[in-house]
Amino acid sequence: MAQSTLPSHIKQLVDKKNYVIAIKTHAQEQGISLDEAKQQIDAYENQALAANSQTPPTAHPAPSAKTKEQGFSTLTQGLDNHLKQENITLPLLPRWVKRVSVIILVILIIGWLFYRLFK
């Protein structure tokens, strides 16, 4: 191969799995054919995969079997934390409660009017 290492921006494209853009950009910048650029990028990727397979995996605790309730509580806690970080306060009544109550109120008023009309 004419070039053993790729430019950093091409490496970033390959790491992000943007192969088409990486191949076209590399071929255009180096003035080589698309096949040569593809071969160089494939060689880089194989080299990166080999390097990743040699490194031992980081020690993460094995995820315990979470129930749906635990997952949901984790999700709501994360959402609450995000809202606190963004300084967003939640209203006392959610929007859907307001909408449902208005719909029920309208139905009751219309029902009462029909009751009075046909009584």
Side-chain angles (χ1 to χ4, degrees):
M1 282 185 204
Q3 185 178 6
S4 61
T5 60
L6 295 174
S8 62
H9 65 282
I10 301 295
K11 289 179 184 179
Q12 287 177 346
L13 288 172
V14 172
D15 292 340
K16 292 181 181 179
K17 309 284 189 232
N18 292 330
Y19 298 114
V20 175
I21 297 171
I23 292 170
K24 286 184 178 182
T25 305
H26 186 58
Q28 186 179 20
E29 288 177 356
Q30 300 299 321
I32 56 178
S33 70
L34 292 175
D35 289 332
E36 289 178 50
K38 182 183 180 308
Q39 290 173 358
Q40 290 178 7
I41 288 173
D42 286 343
Y44 165 75
E45 190 173 23
N46 290 336
Q47 190 178 30
L49 286 174
N52 286 341
S53 66
Q54 291 175 355
T55 58
T58 57
H60 291 290
S64 61
K66 291 186 177 181
T67 63
K68 288 184 180 181
E69 292 175 8
Q70 289 173 335
F72 185 72
S73 66
T74 304
L75 181 65
T76 55
Q77 287 174 355
L79 179 62
D80 291 340
N81 290 338
H82 177 71
L83 292 175
K84 286 179 186 175
Q85 287 175 353
E86 298 292 326
N87 293 330
I88 298 173
T89 57
L90 293 176
L92 258 80
L93 289 175
R95 180 177 282 168
W96 69 270
V97 173
K98 293 177 186 175
R99 289 180 180 173
V100 168
S101 60
V102 167
I103 291 171
I104 290 173
L105 183 65
V106 168
I107 290 173
L108 287 175
I109 291 172
I110 292 174
W112 181 74
L113 288 174
F114 275 117
Y115 173 75
R116 298 281 296 172
L117 183 66
F118 295 116
K119 181 179 174 186

